[in-house]
Amino acid sequence: MNAFRIFREAFFNNLNLNMDKRLVYIIAGIAAIGILPVIFFVVNFYSLSVSKDITQWGALGDYFGGILNALFSFLSLIATIYIAYILTNIEEKRNQQNLKFEKDRLLREFRESEYKRINFELQKVWLSLIEPNPEIANNIIHNCIWQYRYFRTSNMHLFPFLKDEEVKNLGKSLENISELLDTRDLSNKDEILRMFIQKLDLFNQKIQTFLLES
């Protein structure tokens, strides 16, 4: 039994055709069934001499023909069912791949759209800094802060690689710029802008890298 098991495993491991083991067992079983009529005939009529009567040969042909025709019909049915099964699996896998591709495409488009939106809003910070009217400047920066908060609460899940602390730091930089515009205290303006640029560059770099690699 061990020798047979080793031979069987070696046979299936070295089988070049990508064939299901179940199909091999089915073919082997059908072949065994096909041999049974021959064995049955030999066991029952082996003692008889070879006949020279054409009618007896015709009866022999009818015997094997009837059995083999039924067997081949059954084999054709099995082959048709198996091919249909394989084609169904291939089509199902293809549909799953298409659905996954479409889902990934829509997700990527959604991410790109959201990144363009929030990046466009963050670029308005520079408008607030050069706007001579304090009220308009405050409205611009407050709108930027509101849009960024909306991004954090509603759409940040689209970018799971973003660390919450990094996102908070960029939001803090926006609030510092807002305070700068409110107080018009320019003593630490350069430091506030430097921190904002640093956080914004990191934010853009991470998202752009993610979009390129996804």
Side-chain angles (χ1 to χ4, degrees), residues 24-40 67 71 75:
V24 176
Y25 288 135
I26 291 173
I27 294 175
I30 293 174
I33 294 174
I35 295 175
L36 286 178
V38 178
I39 297 175
F40 179 79
I67 294 175
L71 181 61
L75 283 173

PDB file of all heavy atoms in Angstrom, residues 24-40 67 71 75:
ATOM      1  N   VAL A  24      -9.158  12.540 -13.471  1.00  0.00           N
ATOM      2  CA  VAL A  24      -8.335  11.348 -13.682  1.00  0.00           C
ATOM      3  C   VAL A  24      -9.027  10.123 -13.095  1.00  0.00           C
ATOM      4  O   VAL A  24      -9.078   9.049 -13.713  1.00  0.00           O
ATOM      5  CB  VAL A  24      -6.941  11.540 -13.049  1.00  0.00           C
ATOM      6  CG1 VAL A  24      -6.108  10.267 -13.185  1.00  0.00           C
ATOM      7  CG2 VAL A  24      -6.220  12.710 -13.697  1.00  0.00           C
ATOM      8  N   TYR A  25      -9.584  10.281 -11.895  1.00  0.00           N
ATOM      9  CA  TYR A  25     -10.288   9.163 -11.263  1.00  0.00           C
ATOM     10  C   TYR A  25     -11.519   8.757 -12.079  1.00  0.00           C
ATOM     11  O   TYR A  25     -11.831   7.568 -12.217  1.00  0.00           O
ATOM     12  CB  TYR A  25     -10.707   9.543  -9.845  1.00  0.00           C
ATOM     13  CG  TYR A  25      -9.564   9.625  -8.861  1.00  0.00           C
ATOM     14  CD1 TYR A  25      -9.466  10.695  -7.964  1.00  0.00           C
ATOM     15  CD2 TYR A  25      -8.576   8.647  -8.819  1.00  0.00           C
ATOM     16  CE1 TYR A  25      -8.420  10.772  -7.062  1.00  0.00           C
ATOM     17  CE2 TYR A  25      -7.526   8.719  -7.923  1.00  0.00           C
ATOM     18  CZ  TYR A  25      -7.448   9.781  -7.042  1.00  0.00           C
ATOM     19  OH  TYR A  25      -6.418   9.857  -6.154  1.00  0.00           O
ATOM     20  N   ILE A  26     -12.224   9.749 -12.614  1.00  0.00           N
ATOM     21  CA  ILE A  26     -13.416   9.445 -13.415  1.00  0.00           C
ATOM     22  C   ILE A  26     -13.033   8.671 -14.672  1.00  0.00           C
ATOM     23  O   ILE A  26     -13.664   7.668 -15.031  1.00  0.00           O
ATOM     24  CB  ILE A  26     -14.154  10.744 -13.785  1.00  0.00           C
ATOM     25  CG1 ILE A  26     -14.788  11.360 -12.525  1.00  0.00           C
ATOM     26  CG2 ILE A  26     -15.231  10.481 -14.827  1.00  0.00           C
ATOM     27  CD1 ILE A  26     -15.395  12.724 -12.758  1.00  0.00           C
ATOM     28  N   ILE A  27     -11.978   9.139 -15.357  1.00  0.00           N
ATOM     29  CA  ILE A  27     -11.535   8.456 -16.579  1.00  0.00           C
ATOM     30  C   ILE A  27     -11.080   7.031 -16.268  1.00  0.00           C
ATOM     31  O   ILE A  27     -11.396   6.080 -16.996  1.00  0.00           O
ATOM     32  CB  ILE A  27     -10.405   9.258 -17.252  1.00  0.00           C
ATOM     33  CG1 ILE A  27     -10.948  10.604 -17.758  1.00  0.00           C
ATOM     34  CG2 ILE A  27      -9.792   8.469 -18.400  1.00  0.00           C
ATOM     35  CD1 ILE A  27      -9.890  11.509 -18.335  1.00  0.00           C
ATOM     36  N   ALA A  28     -10.341   6.886 -15.159  1.00  0.00           N
ATOM     37  CA  ALA A  28      -9.881   5.546 -14.774  1.00  0.00           C
ATOM     38  C   ALA A  28     -11.062   4.639 -14.461  1.00  0.00           C
ATOM     39  O   ALA A  28     -11.078   3.452 -14.836  1.00  0.00           O
ATOM     40  CB  ALA A  28      -8.947   5.648 -13.572  1.00  0.00           C
ATOM     41  N   GLY A  29     -12.075   5.185 -13.788  1.00  0.00           N
ATOM     42  CA  GLY A  29     -13.259   4.390 -13.468  1.00  0.00           C
ATOM     43  C   GLY A  29     -14.020   3.976 -14.707  1.00  0.00           C
ATOM     44  O   GLY A  29     -14.470   2.825 -14.830  1.00  0.00           O
ATOM     45  N   ILE A  30     -14.172   4.908 -15.655  1.00  0.00           N
ATOM     46  CA  ILE A  30     -14.891   4.590 -16.892  1.00  0.00           C
ATOM     47  C   ILE A  30     -14.120   3.560 -17.713  1.00  0.00           C
ATOM     48  O   ILE A  30     -14.703   2.645 -18.313  1.00  0.00           O
ATOM     49  CB  ILE A  30     -15.130   5.878 -17.700  1.00  0.00           C
ATOM     50  CG1 ILE A  30     -16.099   6.792 -16.939  1.00  0.00           C
ATOM     51  CG2 ILE A  30     -15.689   5.556 -19.077  1.00  0.00           C
ATOM     52  CD1 ILE A  30     -16.303   8.140 -17.578  1.00  0.00           C
ATOM     53  N   ALA A  31     -12.784   3.701 -17.729  1.00  0.00           N
ATOM     54  CA  ALA A  31     -11.967   2.717 -18.448  1.00  0.00           C
ATOM     55  C   ALA A  31     -12.137   1.327 -17.833  1.00  0.00           C
ATOM     56  O   ALA A  31     -12.220   0.310 -18.546  1.00  0.00           O
ATOM     57  CB  ALA A  31     -10.506   3.140 -18.422  1.00  0.00           C
ATOM     58  N   ALA A  32     -12.196   1.288 -16.501  1.00  0.00           N
ATOM     59  CA  ALA A  32     -12.395  -0.004 -15.830  1.00  0.00           C
ATOM     60  C   ALA A  32     -13.747  -0.594 -16.184  1.00  0.00           C
ATOM     61  O   ALA A  32     -13.881  -1.807 -16.424  1.00  0.00           O
ATOM     62  CB  ALA A  32     -12.262   0.177 -14.322  1.00  0.00           C
ATOM     63  N   ILE A  33     -14.775   0.274 -16.243  1.00  0.00           N
ATOM     64  CA  ILE A  33     -16.109  -0.204 -16.621  1.00  0.00           C
ATOM     65  C   ILE A  33     -16.107  -0.722 -18.054  1.00  0.00           C
ATOM     66  O   ILE A  33     -16.767  -1.713 -18.384  1.00  0.00           O
ATOM     67  CB  ILE A  33     -17.139   0.928 -16.447  1.00  0.00           C
ATOM     68  CG1 ILE A  33     -17.273   1.289 -14.959  1.00  0.00           C
ATOM     69  CG2 ILE A  33     -18.495   0.529 -17.016  1.00  0.00           C
ATOM     70  CD1 ILE A  33     -18.151   2.493 -14.700  1.00  0.00           C
ATOM     71  N   GLY A  34     -15.340  -0.041 -18.920  1.00  0.00           N
ATOM     72  CA  GLY A  34     -15.271  -0.478 -20.313  1.00  0.00           C
ATOM     73  C   GLY A  34     -14.598  -1.829 -20.475  1.00  0.00           C
ATOM     74  O   GLY A  34     -14.889  -2.577 -21.420  1.00  0.00           O
ATOM     75  N   ILE A  35     -13.693  -2.163 -19.571  1.00  0.00           N
ATOM     76  CA  ILE A  35     -12.992  -3.448 -19.652  1.00  0.00           C
ATOM     77  C   ILE A  35     -13.862  -4.589 -19.125  1.00  0.00           C
ATOM     78  O   ILE A  35     -13.701  -5.748 -19.527  1.00  0.00           O
ATOM     79  CB  ILE A  35     -11.669  -3.366 -18.864  1.00  0.00           C
ATOM     80  CG1 ILE A  35     -10.738  -2.347 -19.531  1.00  0.00           C
ATOM     81  CG2 ILE A  35     -10.976  -4.716 -18.784  1.00  0.00           C
ATOM     82  CD1 ILE A  35      -9.461  -2.100 -18.757  1.00  0.00           C
ATOM     83  N   LEU A  36     -14.800  -4.256 -18.244  1.00  0.00           N
ATOM     84  CA  LEU A  36     -15.631  -5.300 -17.631  1.00  0.00           C
ATOM     85  C   LEU A  36     -16.375  -6.164 -18.651  1.00  0.00           C
ATOM     86  O   LEU A  36     -16.421  -7.398 -18.502  1.00  0.00           O
ATOM     87  CB  LEU A  36     -16.622  -4.661 -16.651  1.00  0.00           C
ATOM     88  CG  LEU A  36     -16.027  -4.162 -15.331  1.00  0.00           C
ATOM     89  CD1 LEU A  36     -17.112  -3.508 -14.481  1.00  0.00           C
ATOM     90  CD2 LEU A  36     -15.380  -5.311 -14.562  1.00  0.00           C
ATOM     91  N   PRO A  37     -16.985  -5.586 -19.715  1.00  0.00           N
ATOM     92  CA  PRO A  37     -17.670  -6.455 -20.697  1.00  0.00           C
ATOM     93  C   PRO A  37     -16.720  -7.446 -21.366  1.00  0.00           C
ATOM     94  O   PRO A  37     -17.107  -8.586 -21.653  1.00  0.00           O
ATOM     95  CB  PRO A  37     -18.240  -5.455 -21.712  1.00  0.00           C
ATOM     96  CG  PRO A  37     -18.369  -4.185 -20.955  1.00  0.00           C
ATOM     97  CD  PRO A  37     -17.220  -4.173 -20.006  1.00  0.00           C
ATOM     98  N   VAL A  38     -15.476  -6.997 -21.616  1.00  0.00           N
ATOM     99  CA  VAL A  38     -14.499  -7.892 -22.235  1.00  0.00           C
ATOM    100  C   VAL A  38     -14.177  -9.039 -21.284  1.00  0.00           C
ATOM    101  O   VAL A  38     -14.123 -10.218 -21.677  1.00  0.00           O
ATOM    102  CB  VAL A  38     -13.223  -7.111 -22.607  1.00  0.00           C
ATOM    103  CG1 VAL A  38     -12.181  -8.055 -23.198  1.00  0.00           C
ATOM    104  CG2 VAL A  38     -13.557  -5.992 -23.582  1.00  0.00           C
ATOM    105  N   ILE A  39     -13.955  -8.679 -20.012  1.00  0.00           N
ATOM    106  CA  ILE A  39     -13.656  -9.716 -19.014  1.00  0.00           C
ATOM    107  C   ILE A  39     -14.831 -10.680 -18.876  1.00  0.00           C
ATOM    108  O   ILE A  39     -14.662 -11.911 -18.813  1.00  0.00           O
ATOM    109  CB  ILE A  39     -13.324  -9.061 -17.660  1.00  0.00           C
ATOM    110  CG1 ILE A  39     -12.051  -8.208 -17.782  1.00  0.00           C
ATOM    111  CG2 ILE A  39     -13.155 -10.113 -16.573  1.00  0.00           C
ATOM    112  CD1 ILE A  39     -11.711  -7.430 -16.530  1.00  0.00           C
ATOM    113  N   PHE A  40     -16.042 -10.115 -18.842  1.00  0.00           N
ATOM    114  CA  PHE A  40     -17.241 -10.950 -18.713  1.00  0.00           C
ATOM    115  C   PHE A  40     -17.370 -11.907 -19.899  1.00  0.00           C
ATOM    116  O   PHE A  40     -17.694 -13.093 -19.737  1.00  0.00           O
ATOM    117  CB  PHE A  40     -18.470 -10.044 -18.617  1.00  0.00           C
ATOM    118  CG  PHE A  40     -19.761 -10.787 -18.495  1.00  0.00           C
ATOM    119  CD1 PHE A  40     -20.173 -11.319 -17.279  1.00  0.00           C
ATOM    120  CD2 PHE A  40     -20.574 -10.977 -19.610  1.00  0.00           C
ATOM    121  CE1 PHE A  40     -21.372 -12.021 -17.180  1.00  0.00           C
ATOM    122  CE2 PHE A  40     -21.766 -11.670 -19.510  1.00  0.00           C
ATOM    123  CZ  PHE A  40     -22.172 -12.192 -18.291  1.00  0.00           C
ATOM    124  N   ILE A  67     -22.498  -2.056 -26.075  1.00  0.00           N
ATOM    125  CA  ILE A  67     -21.887  -1.619 -24.810  1.00  0.00           C
ATOM    126  C   ILE A  67     -21.017  -0.380 -25.018  1.00  0.00           C
ATOM    127  O   ILE A  67     -21.100   0.600 -24.269  1.00  0.00           O
ATOM    128  CB  ILE A  67     -21.063  -2.773 -24.202  1.00  0.00           C
ATOM    129  CG1 ILE A  67     -21.996  -3.913 -23.784  1.00  0.00           C
ATOM    130  CG2 ILE A  67     -20.252  -2.276 -23.007  1.00  0.00           C
ATOM    131  CD1 ILE A  67     -21.280  -5.137 -23.281  1.00  0.00           C
ATOM    132  N   LEU A  71     -21.239   3.409 -23.638  1.00  0.00           N
ATOM    133  CA  LEU A  71     -20.122   3.930 -22.851  1.00  0.00           C
ATOM    134  C   LEU A  71     -19.604   5.244 -23.426  1.00  0.00           C
ATOM    135  O   LEU A  71     -19.359   6.209 -22.693  1.00  0.00           O
ATOM    136  CB  LEU A  71     -18.995   2.894 -22.805  1.00  0.00           C
ATOM    137  CG  LEU A  71     -17.752   3.284 -21.990  1.00  0.00           C
ATOM    138  CD1 LEU A  71     -18.125   3.516 -20.532  1.00  0.00           C
ATOM    139  CD2 LEU A  71     -16.679   2.209 -22.110  1.00  0.00           C
ATOM    140  N   LEU A  75     -19.438   8.860 -21.823  1.00  0.00           N
ATOM    141  CA  LEU A  75     -18.198   9.643 -21.775  1.00  0.00           C
ATOM    142  C   LEU A  75     -18.401  11.042 -22.361  1.00  0.00           C
ATOM    143  O   LEU A  75     -17.891  12.030 -21.836  1.00  0.00           O
ATOM    144  CB  LEU A  75     -17.089   8.916 -22.541  1.00  0.00           C
ATOM    145  CG  LEU A  75     -16.423   7.738 -21.837  1.00  0.00           C
ATOM    146  CD1 LEU A  75     -15.475   7.023 -22.786  1.00  0.00           C
ATOM    147  CD2 LEU A  75     -15.670   8.211 -20.607  1.00  0.00           C
TER     148      LEU A  75
END
